[in-house]
Amino acid sequence: MLFHMPRNLGERYSPLYFLAALGSGGLIVSFFMWLMAWVPHPGRPVPIFEDIVATLMNGSFAQQLAILGGWAGIALFAWMLFRLLIWNLREAAGWRRTAAYTALRESNSETQLLAAPLAVAMAINGGFILGLVFVPGLWSVVEYLFPLAMLGFLAIGVWALRLLGDFWGRILTRGGFDCSRNNGFSQLLPSFALAMIGVGLAAPAAMSQTPWVAGVSYIASSFFITMALMLGVIMLVIGLRAMMEHGADAESAPSLWVVVPIMTVVGIALMRQGHGLGVHFGSHGTPTDTFTMLTTFLSLQLAFALFGYVVMRRQGYFGRFVTGSERSAGSYVLVCPGVALAVILQFFINKGLVAIGLIDKFGMAYWLLTALPLMVQAATIWLVFTLNAKHFRVDRARKAPLASAER
């Protein structure tokens, strides 16, 4: 848990600690998927407070347990998200006055600064989920909230693009990017941030009943998703080349899994966009189209998950940085693929296999398959508590630095 947070870390702070807040925000989404899958919400793309209460009063015992568990999980990890976010913002303000910050701005690691807009974008997504599941009557005023939400995401997008502009402007005019130290996928963090902004901007396309709002949502989200994919492909190739020449850097090895959450976020954005195009502009996709996309994305994610696991197992990463005594802020990258797999598996089962009629909802095969995302979710929750105990307990913070150098 997070009962006592260390303060005034100064040079020991790392911007990658924003990923601790991000992971808690992702777990909010994973519990919201319980309500998406198991609470009826006719006529709406997402369940709202009124749907949840109606099912809680009249649904089966299993549905009632799922609702109570979903509510509890959302509330717990929302508290962790916002506490960690506030802590990071405070510590980052002090860290920016240190020599460590100046050195980072002149290194490959400058892109770590994108972890801040990434976490803030997740906080907006998490706040919207809180409103949907806990605030009565929110849906009656949601059309007024969508433009405000888009403005919020666009502001975060400008922040992220300015940080990226500083990085690319520096290395493309002065040089200095050390390719030999780029032996991982750490440089995919900006793609992750842009994709998170894109999926937030895509939400009104799926949920708004106002055509111009859905259209603006589609256009704005397409820009950030396209940029995320473009930068991602470039940095994927550069990072893979460096790894083949120098081997994967042990401390940044979790970055080998960052493709997994990027693909989940992009997949959700595309589903939201597709729904908006069908509702407002006559371009109706089929369940088979969604199934095909989810199958392709899930296959890519499993391939990268296996690739990263092979490398981290050979390097003994888990025994060193998760259950062992060594600490690295980059360990929080491990939370993101766990959340991403739990979420996309829920979509694959409910919007893929069930939607095309391959399995029956709530049948034996359905529950056997649903056990997979639930187990991944449980393992990810264990990982979050394990890392929080390792990194944020004050007694441990006094004994060793909380953050070490990342590439």
Side-chain angles (χ1 to χ4, degrees):
M1 297 296 286
L2 296 171
F3 297 116
H4 302 288
M5 300 291 292
R7 296 193 177 188
N8 303 317
L9 297 180
E11 293 196 352
R12 292 183 300 152
Y13 176 75
S14 168
L16 291 180
Y17 278 121
F18 275 102
L19 300 181
L22 174 72
S24 295
L27 285 169
I28 295 174
V29 179
S30 72
F31 279 101
F32 182 65
M33 292 302 300
W34 293 16
L35 307 180
M36 279 278 289
W38 304 330
V39 172
H41 44 279
R44 280 182 291 271
V46 291
I48 61 174
F49 176 82
E50 288 76 10
D51 298 322
I52 298 167
V53 170
T55 305
L56 185 65
M57 299 300 295
N58 303 307
S60 66
F61 181 66
Q63 285 178 311
Q64 292 169 340
L65 283 179
I67 289 171
L68 294 176
W71 265 347
I74 290 170
L76 170 63
F77 288 104
W79 172 75
M80 292 176 64
L81 161 63
F82 289 106
R83 185 170 183 189
L84 281 164
L85 185 60
I86 292 169
W87 177 85
N88 270 284
L89 292 171
R90 185 181 63 241
E91 292 297 324
W95 171 71
R96 281 193 289 269
R97 296 190 292 269
T98 68
Y101 171 75
T102 303
L104 180 135
R105 293 299 298 261
E106 297 294 322
S107 70
N108 290 11
S109 300
E110 185 177 7
T111 51
Q112 291 180 13
L113 298 176
L114 272 294
L118 171 59
V120 173
M122 173 57 81
I124 294 181
N125 287 318
F128 191 71
I129 289 175
L130 287 173
L132 287 176
V133 303
F134 290 120
V135 179
L138 182 71
W139 199 252
S140 64
V141 298
V142 75
E143 289 297 334
Y144 300 101
L145 299 179
F146 286 140
L148 296 176
M150 286 195 293
L151 287 174
F153 280 112
L154 287 173
I156 299 171
V158 171
W159 178 18
L161 291 175
R162 290 191 61 168
L163 292 173
L164 271 177
D166 289 341
F167 173 73
W168 284 101
R170 175 175 63 81
I171 65 172
L172 293 181
T173 56
R174 294 163 42 197
F177 186 81
D178 190 348
C179 291
S180 66
R181 295 179 60 84
N182 186 43
N183 47 341
F185 290 157
S186 299
Q187 296 299 325
L188 289 177
L189 185 61
S191 294
F192 192 7
L194 295 174
M196 185 64 70
I197 295 165
V199 76
L201 284 167
M207 291 183 270
S208 177
Q209 298 301 309
T210 307
W212 76 263
V213 172
V216 171
S217 168
Y218 180 90
I219 295 168
S221 61
S222 294
F223 170 78
F224 283 97
I225 293 297
T226 301
M227 181 169 283
L229 294 175
M230 179 188 72
L231 289 178
V233 170
I234 293 171
M235 288 307 185
L236 193 69
V237 173
I238 294 174
L240 185 59
R241 182 195 179 282
M243 282 190 288
M244 294 180 71
E245 183 175 355
H246 303 286
D249 175 62
E251 200 168 339
S252 62
S255 67
L256 302 181
W257 278 356
V258 78
V259 173
V260 177
I262 291 174
M263 296 302 294
T264 291
V265 170
V266 171
I268 295 172
L270 294 179
M271 285 191 288
R272 288 175 170 181
Q273 290 181 333
H275 183 80
L277 290 177
V279 170
H280 295 288
F281 307 110
S283 178
H284 295 280
T286 66
T288 304
D289 295 331
T290 303
F291 170 72
T292 301
M293 182 193 72
L294 289 172
T295 302
T296 303
F297 279 27
L298 182 58
S299 299
L300 284 170
Q301 289 173 302
L302 293 176
F304 275 98
L306 291 172
F307 168 65
Y309 174 75
V310 168
V311 175
M312 284 186 279
R313 181 176 61 83
R314 292 204 171 198
Q315 293 177 335
Y317 185 91
F318 302 101
R320 293 172 57 191
F321 294 101
V322 177
T323 58
S325 60
E326 296 182 68
R327 288 192 289 180
S328 168
S331 299
Y332 276 97
V333 176
L334 296 173
V335 177
C336 303
V339 169
L341 282 176
V343 170
I344 201 167
L345 282 169
Q346 289 276 19
F347 276 116
F348 178 72
I349 293 166
N350 291 281
K351 298 294 185 182
L353 300 177
V354 172
I356 66 171
L358 197 57
I359 62 173
D360 294 326
K361 189 157 189 174
F362 303 138
M364 180 64 71
Y366 177 88
W367 289 117
L368 288 174
L369 289 171
T370 298
L372 294 175
L374 295 181
M375 287 189 292
V376 173
Q377 184 181 16
T380 306
I381 292 169
W382 170 85
L383 176 63
V384 165
F385 289 140
T386 299
L387 292 178
N388 286 349
K390 177 189 284 283
H391 287 264
F392 295 126
R393 276 179 50 182
V394 175
D395 57 337
R396 295 187 181 183
R398 293 193 183 106
K399 296 177 182 178
L402 282 175
S404 53
E406 303 290 335
R407 300 189 179 192

